[in-house]
Amino acid sequence: MALSFAQKEIIVAEVAEVAKGAHSAVGAEYRGLTVEQMTRLRVEARKAGVYVRVVKNTLARRALQDTDFACMSEGLTGPLVLAFSREDPGSAARVMEAFAKDHNKVEVRLVALGGKLLDPSELGNLAKMPTRDQAISLLMAVMKAPVQKLAATINEVPGKLVRTIAAIRDAKEAA
């Protein structure tokens, strides 16, 4: 079914709005997937805070034109599903990587992060990036470590004194 000009404008505006607020994007060829499998992909993506959309390539080029993902324009050929990470940079990569493991017909062709087009082999590295909560947790652990070590070192002085006195007491009791 052909789209009217107004419908095309709405699609372009929607994808452009999502792309402007997204951290990263992944484009994958989905040729050979069933409707049920695509629905499963959309459900998993929604759970992870990832916007997934199948858009005609010409409309996608227009939508990505003034965004950080304009670098993807040349690679928009063939049937592609676009996934945009809205919450953290690695979420779209995690969803697409997990889905591609289960479905060998999915081929990741485009990966973009921060206005740069990455090689599709970088998908695994992008997927390993921590979420916001994990990054905060790692930062807190790094900030807490010196204080914790200082407290343990300061606590060691009286502890050593107590152990020395206990050893002297045990030596006098034994004699």
Side-chain angles (χ1 to χ4, degrees), residues 22-41:
H23 298 287
S24 66
V26 176
E29 189 169 323
Y30 64 94
R31 192 178 314 215
L33 291 181
T34 64
V35 173
E36 182 180 299
Q37 291 169 331
M38 284 298 290
T39 303
R40 210 171 309 130
L41 171 63

Side-chain angles (χ1 to χ4, degrees), residues 84-141:
F84 294 95
S85 296
R86 292 197 263 180
E87 294 178 7
D88 64 274
S91 58
R94 280 190 289 279
V95 169
M96 292 306 285
E97 185 180 48
F99 193 76
K101 282 181 184 175
D102 296 339
H103 303 87
N104 59 355
K105 293 181 181 179
V106 174
E107 179 190 342
V108 175
R109 293 191 16 215
L110 300 167
V111 179
L113 174 68
K116 294 183 182 175
L117 189 63
L118 304 175
D119 192 65
S121 63
E122 296 289 320
L123 183 72
N125 293 338
L126 184 58
K128 291 176 187 170
M129 286 182 72
T131 64
R132 183 177 188 276
D133 292 339
Q134 290 170 338
I136 289 172
S137 175
L138 291 170
L139 178 65
M140 290 295 114

Side-chain angles (χ1 to χ4, degrees), residues 12 14-27 50-51 57-76 80 82-93 109-118 126:
V12 168
E14 179 185 334
V15 173
E17 185 66 32
V18 170
K20 286 179 184 172
H23 298 287
S24 66
V26 176
V50 175
Y51 175 84
N57 294 327
T58 53
L59 298 180
R61 280 188 200 95
R62 284 204 181 112
L64 300 177
Q65 211 167 31
D66 296 326
T67 67
D68 288 345
F69 306 108
C71 58
M72 296 175 73
S73 294
E74 289 181 23
L76 294 173
L80 293 178
L82 297 176
F84 294 95
S85 296
R86 292 197 263 180
E87 294 178 7
D88 64 274
S91 58
R109 293 191 16 215
L110 300 167
V111 179
L113 174 68
K116 294 183 182 175
L117 189 63
L118 304 175
L126 184 58

